[in-house]
Amino acid sequence: MHEDANPDVLAGLAWYYLLASTLNAAAACRFAYHEMVSEGASREGCSPRTRRPPAWLAPTSIALYALALGAAPLRGLLPGGLTLAYGLVALANGLLALAAGADSAHFAEVRASSGVHADEREGRPTLDDHIPAVGLGGPINRTLWSLVAAVIAVVYLAIGLTYLFNGTLVLPGFVRAAVDSAAGPTSFFLGATLLLAGLFAFRRAFASGLVAFGIANGAILAFGLSLTDADFREIVARPDNVPIVGMIVLVAAFTWLALRRAVINDARREAGLPVLEELEPDKVLTWPDLVYVELICMVALTLFLIAWAVALPAPLEQPARATEAPNPSKAPWYFLGLQEMLVYFDPWLAGVALPVLIIVGLCAIPYLDTNKDGAGYYTIASRPFAYAVFQFGFLVLWIVLIVLGTFLRGPNWNFYGPYERWDPHKVVPLNNVDLSDLVWVRALGRAKPSWALVRELPGLTLLALYLVALPTLLLRTAFKDYAARSGRTRAVVTVVLLLLMAGLPLKMILRWTLNLKYLIAVPGFNI
Amino acid sequence: MPILERLAKTQAWKSLFRHPMPTDRRSRVQVMLSNFFLHVHPVSVRKQGIALSYTWCMGGATFFLFLVEVVTGVLLMFYYRPTLEHAYNDVLALRDVTTLGVLRELHRWAAHAMVIAVWLHMYRVFLTGSYKPPREFNWVIGVMLLVLTLLLSFTGYLLPWDQLAVWAITVGSNMASATPGLGVEGPGSGFLTLNGVKLITPTSDARYAMLGGASVGEAALNRFYVLHCVAIPLAASLLIMVHFWRVRKDGGISGPL
């Protein structure tokens, strides 16, 4: 058993849970704030006249959180920095509790004393308010959820304190073994596909902020527990891999945000209401409204980059040696999806032809998608096919393959589970066969014909069926309306591009089910 | 602020800014029209169009990261010599010797962030249907900028000249030798012949043209350096200008028609 928990790791984990706890505290504040603003306070005509909490309470708590988060990374310079951070957070939490108590006392007092009902709301409705407005579920109980978030925040603090006082809470071995044995290229790819399909099918449920809140906390906890595994940590914490972890978070967050806005918009259009993007048709002056947002974004991004640069040194390995190839030799991370394709296709396809097709296909999108609906706002109902195909291409065929290539492909490009040691001597049997073997030897029980054209006849037939007969069929069935509407040239190009895109997952399935190596195998030209 | 107001009345100030302080409607319009850097923007924008939950701010972030790359890149060029003798040691010295030794970190992390931001920008533009007419061609320019971003990152990956860099570029550039017709290992490499002599050989194929040699060596380092520091940034700058121009000409930030 290697080191799952040395002092550095424990301190890092304590810091991680401090951050997770702060995020949940922020969520609790947000829920409570919107309770006051959009549901409670303004409706009750709440004006600041009775026992308001002192104005310095909230800014002080925020400043204490900021100090705590600042002290944690400086623990190298400041002995006991992490303990100090937890102390500051405890103080901030106490102040927040005080503020919340004062607020609710004030709120109760106003509710009891005044029968005034002001109908106008303070502040704009949030997306959470839009969901009940179009019948996508009831209004959320923000008091309850601020309590839930606060409790989760306290639980994270407790876990963090456990690590701070040298408790070794690690992911149980049987869980790691189970995950590793279930993980494989097949289960990983199919799982991602099913997840996307589920997201699409149950998008109305996923649009709720509470579902996202639950998923986010589940992911935080799963990632935190996984970090107790030394092998997982070694791969994830490589400097060049850290941005990919960030990318996963961003991609997930944006996918969900787009889905949420699309679901709300679709429900609004069904109800005959204008979409969210049409609610405020007014124009505002670029100075100050846009210029200041840009300035703030630039400052925030600069601070983020500087913090990142100080915290994480750029990798620099040994000087280049032409004779010693590292194992695994990996392309830069953004091309690892293409490198993963090399498992299924020869370099001329995976490294040249398919990348060119990706670029050409992307460029062709605006000319092939003739659906005029859904321009300038998020929607799924108006363009389900385009939305689903692009998400499958971007999320599964690009992002998921990069994640697979980065985190789960080790020496000799073998697959390794997330908690598996990258053992360069791992042997994976390669028993892939060509289609000609399957047909001539296995099915017909005779030797393969020596003449290449005859030998490859099954593959050539299949390819012709796939790229000629199938498009012809599709143009008369599923794409008939599209061809009539958008013209035959567009329809042919669209269908062929879609089939070429589908070629990758199809080849994967053939590999997993039939161990198929090549459809057509002629020296120098393998498909 | 009396000092600022008095300053705004001086000749030097007036020669710099052709408008009063942007405090009222008129001067806020003027500042957008008369300032070179701000006139990329229109005078007014649709309120919904600039909402963060709509745009995700990813296009702007990509451009800002490009600027960060230009500034840190120029500073790095002061210290770095693209030769086999110096490259690795110069990078080593950047960390150990140079004051404020996080330049390379800033450059590398901003590059990774730029790749991610440009993907997310494309993702947002697709999901909001913002490539639809009249913005079709600007989407195509965007795809080209995406490719250039990846090429910028790819060419820069080689420059530290360590094991990570050289072998990653070896893996990547090996693909070029599989180019159909033009790569020595690609299908159809035997078709190009002149008087019976094959034209595509290991020392005369697509990969050789890319690396300037049969393997990743000094010629490749020089080529990638020039591409990374001069050629691709120039091409990207030009396309960025066209991209921004077209955003304005095609109706500004997208929104419901």
Side-chain angles (χ1 to χ4, degrees):
Chain A
M1 179 106 170
H2 37 264
E3 271 193 272
D4 277 339
N6 59 46
D8 266 355
V9 172
L10 292 182
L13 284 168
W15 184 77
Y16 174 82
Y17 283 103
L18 185 68
L19 197 68
S21 169
T22 308
L23 286 176
N24 272 285
C29 291
R30 195 186 134 82
F31 281 128
Y33 172 75
H34 282 297
E35 167 72 24
M36 298 289 289
V37 171
S38 65
E39 302 261 331
S42 63
R43 197 185 305 147
E44 300 288 341
C46 184
S47 56
R49 58 196 166 88
T50 54
R51 264 183 255 149
R52 294 294 286 174
W56 50 267
L57 261 181
T60 310
S61 319
I62 292 168
L64 284 173
Y65 274 122
L67 261 181
L69 289 178
L74 294 179
R75 60 182 181 275
L77 307 173
L78 193 77
L82 204 49
T83 322
L84 176 71
Y86 272 86
L88 290 172
V89 165
L91 195 61
N93 282 347
L95 287 179
L96 274 182
L98 206 63
D103 259 348
S104 57
H106 164 73
F107 193 35
E109 202 164 289
V110 173
R111 197 198 294 265
S113 66
S114 74
V116 189
H117 281 266
D119 273 340
E120 74 272 22
R121 289 170 155 225
E122 275 176 32
R124 296 191 309 189
T126 64
L127 285 182
D128 283 327
D129 297 321
H130 278 295
I131 284 188
V134 287
L136 282 171
I140 63 171
N141 182 344
R142 290 192 165 96
T143 314
L144 174 68
W145 282 95
S146 69
L147 194 67
V148 170
V151 169
I152 296 175
V154 171
V155 170
Y156 282 150
L157 274 186
I159 300 178
L161 283 172
T162 313
Y163 287 120
L164 194 59
F165 293 112
N166 291 324
T168 46
L169 181 69
V170 294
L171 193 64
F174 71 89
V175 176
R176 300 183 213 188
V179 170
D180 280 344
S181 68
T186 320
S187 57
F188 188 72
F189 187 84
L190 286 183
T193 311
L194 288 177
L195 206 66
L196 185 65
L199 191 70
F200 212 67
F202 304 106
R203 55 180 183 269
R204 286 175 152 245
F206 277 109
S208 160
L210 304 177
V211 173
F213 176 73
I215 293 175
N217 269 309
I220 286 176
L221 196 61
F223 190 68
L225 283 174
S226 297
L227 280 176
T228 58
D229 184 88
D231 296 316
F232 182 86
R233 218 165 42 231
E234 195 192 324
I235 306 303
V236 167
R238 282 190 188 171
D240 266 348
N241 289 354
V242 170
I244 308 175
V245 178
M247 178 185 71
I248 297 172
V249 174
L250 279 179
V251 166
F254 283 143
T255 300
W256 175 76
L257 182 63
L259 175 125
R260 177 173 165 89
R261 289 185 66 118
V263 164
I264 293 174
N265 276 345
D266 290 343
R268 291 183 67 87
R269 275 157 65 90
E270 215 170 287
L273 296 165
V275 293
L276 294 171
E277 285 79 358
E278 284 171 324
L279 286 182
E280 283 173 293
D282 303 350
K283 283 194 157 189
V284 289
L285 285 177
T286 307
W287 185 299
D289 279 65
L290 176 56
V291 178
Y292 275 50
V293 170
E294 287 174 342
L295 182 72
I296 293 167
C297 284
M298 284 194 276
V299 172
L301 208 59
T302 308
L303 286 176
F304 174 72
L305 278 176
I306 290 175
W308 187 2
V310 170
L312 201 68
L316 188 64
E317 296 186 356
Q318 294 298 307
R321 289 184 302 276
T323 46
E324 265 175 65
N327 188 12
S329 279
K330 289 191 177 184
W333 64 270
Y334 33 83
F335 288 148
L336 287 187
L338 301 178
Q339 199 172 351
E340 174 66 17
M341 278 164 36
L342 282 173
V343 175
Y344 305 98
F345 291 112
D346 266 16
W348 75 271
L349 263 174
V352 186
L354 291 178
V356 169
L357 273 172
I358 293 173
I359 297 169
V360 171
L362 282 175
C363 287
I365 285 175
Y367 304 98
L368 299 179
D369 180 5
T370 51
N371 176 6
K372 289 201 169 50
D373 217 2
Y377 58 94
Y378 292 93
T379 175
I380 296 177
S382 305
R383 46 200 290 257
F385 185 71
Y387 201 96
V389 168
F390 190 83
Q391 281 211 326
F392 180 71
F394 179 65
L395 295 178
V396 179
L397 294 186
W398 191 251
I399 299 290
V400 162
L401 287 191
I402 286 177
V403 171
L404 174 65
T406 308
F407 296 120
L408 303 172
R409 290 290 187 183
N412 306 322
W413 208 253
N414 281 328
F415 185 93
Y416 291 81
Y419 310 119
E420 196 175 340
R421 170 135 294 222
W422 280 16
D423 175 11
H425 305 296
K426 177 174 178 170
V427 179
V428 179
L430 279 179
N431 47 6
N432 296 330
V433 289
D434 295 336
L435 185 69
S436 49
D437 288 308
L438 285 174
V439 171
W440 297 109
V441 182
R442 294 229 188 127
L444 301 177
R446 45 174 289 191
K448 287 201 282 186
S450 52
W451 198 35
L453 202 60
V454 180
R455 186 187 71 219
E456 301 304 335
L457 208 55
L460 288 169
T461 318
L462 220 56
L463 199 67
L465 281 177
Y466 187 67
L467 286 180
V468 181
L470 190 57
T472 317
L473 183 72
L474 283 173
L475 284 175
R476 289 185 187 176
T477 53
F479 285 81
K480 194 176 172 187
D481 293 344
Y482 174 72
R485 202 173 55 239
S486 311
R488 199 167 168 75
T489 317
R490 274 203 187 87
V492 171
V493 174
T494 307
V495 169
V496 170
L497 280 175
L498 285 173
L499 285 176
L500 287 172
M501 178 180 167
L504 174 63
L506 286 178
K507 182 86 191 269
M508 287 175 159
I509 292 170
L510 289 175
R511 174 69 54 86
W512 299 330
T513 49
L514 301 174
N515 283 326
L516 182 80
K517 191 172 185 201
Y518 292 126
L519 213 58
I520 297 169
V522 185
F525 184 81
N526 301 315
I527 294 176
Chain B
M1 255 183 229
I3 300 174
L4 216 59
E5 274 167 24
R6 274 174 65 182
L7 203 63
K9 289 200 176 84
T10 59
Q11 189 187 357
W13 181 283
K14 282 183 183 168
S15 69
L16 266 174
F17 303 108
R18 301 285 186 196
H19 53 79
M21 293 293 234
T23 46
D24 55 8
R25 196 180 158 80
R26 186 184 149 78
S27 53
R28 283 172 175 171
V29 171
Q30 271 181 318
V31 65
M32 300 311 295
L33 293 174
S34 64
N35 185 305
F36 174 79
F37 296 101
L38 292 177
H39 94 285
V40 200
H41 288 311
V43 167
S44 62
V45 284
R46 222 183 349 248
K47 196 172 179 188
Q48 189 57 51
I50 57 168
L52 273 186
S53 66
Y54 177 74
T55 66
W56 308 350
C57 203
M58 281 298 138
T62 308
F63 179 57
F64 177 67
L65 289 165
F66 179 74
L67 296 182
V68 170
E69 290 302 271
V70 170
V71 173
T72 53
V74 167
L75 291 174
L76 282 170
M77 284 170 77
F78 291 160
Y79 295 95
Y80 175 83
R81 289 163 287 182
T83 60
L84 292 196
E85 191 189 349
H86 294 298
Y88 182 80
N89 288 328
D90 285 350
V91 173
L92 206 62
L94 265 169
R95 188 181 63 194
D96 297 339
V97 184
T98 321
T99 318
L100 292 177
V102 293
L103 262 184
R104 193 168 78 89
E105 275 75 12
L106 281 176
H107 196 73
R108 193 180 186 99
W109 301 146
H112 287 353
M114 187 174 159
V115 169
I116 295 170
V118 83
W119 288 349
L120 290 174
H121 175 59
M122 180 188 71
Y123 192 34
R124 193 281 292 179
V125 169
F126 185 91
L127 295 185
T128 55
S130 303
Y131 57 84
K132 298 193 175 190
R135 297 186 176 81
E136 310 101 300
F137 190 64
N138 216 14
W139 165 273
V140 176
I141 295 173
V143 174
M144 291 176 196
L145 278 167
L146 164 74
V147 174
L148 285 184
T149 306
L150 293 177
L151 287 180
L152 267 174
S153 202
F154 184 69
T155 49
Y157 213 83
L158 180 65
L159 304 186
W161 204 253
D162 61 344
Q163 280 286 78
L164 191 68
V166 168
W167 287 98
I169 302 305
T170 303
V171 170
S173 61
N174 275 344
M175 294 301 120
S177 64
T179 313
L182 295 175
V184 72
E185 281 156 25
S189 62
F191 291 157
L192 278 179
T193 51
L194 190 68
N195 297 333
V197 180
K198 275 172 94 178
L199 287 181
I200 303 298
T201 66
T203 54
S204 67
D205 72 338
R207 181 164 173 273
Y208 192 90
M210 183 177 167
L211 298 178
S215 66
V216 180
E218 182 142 27
L221 182 59
N222 196 46
R223 274 176 199 213
F224 276 45
Y225 180 74
V226 174
L227 286 173
H228 184 74
C229 301
V230 185
I232 308 178
L234 277 179
S237 304
L238 183 71
L239 283 183
I240 288 171
M241 286 190 268
V242 180
H243 198 60
F244 287 0
W245 167 265
R246 297 284 306 222
V247 170
R248 285 289 299 279
K249 293 294 153 185
D250 293 344
I253 302 172
S254 71
L257 297 171

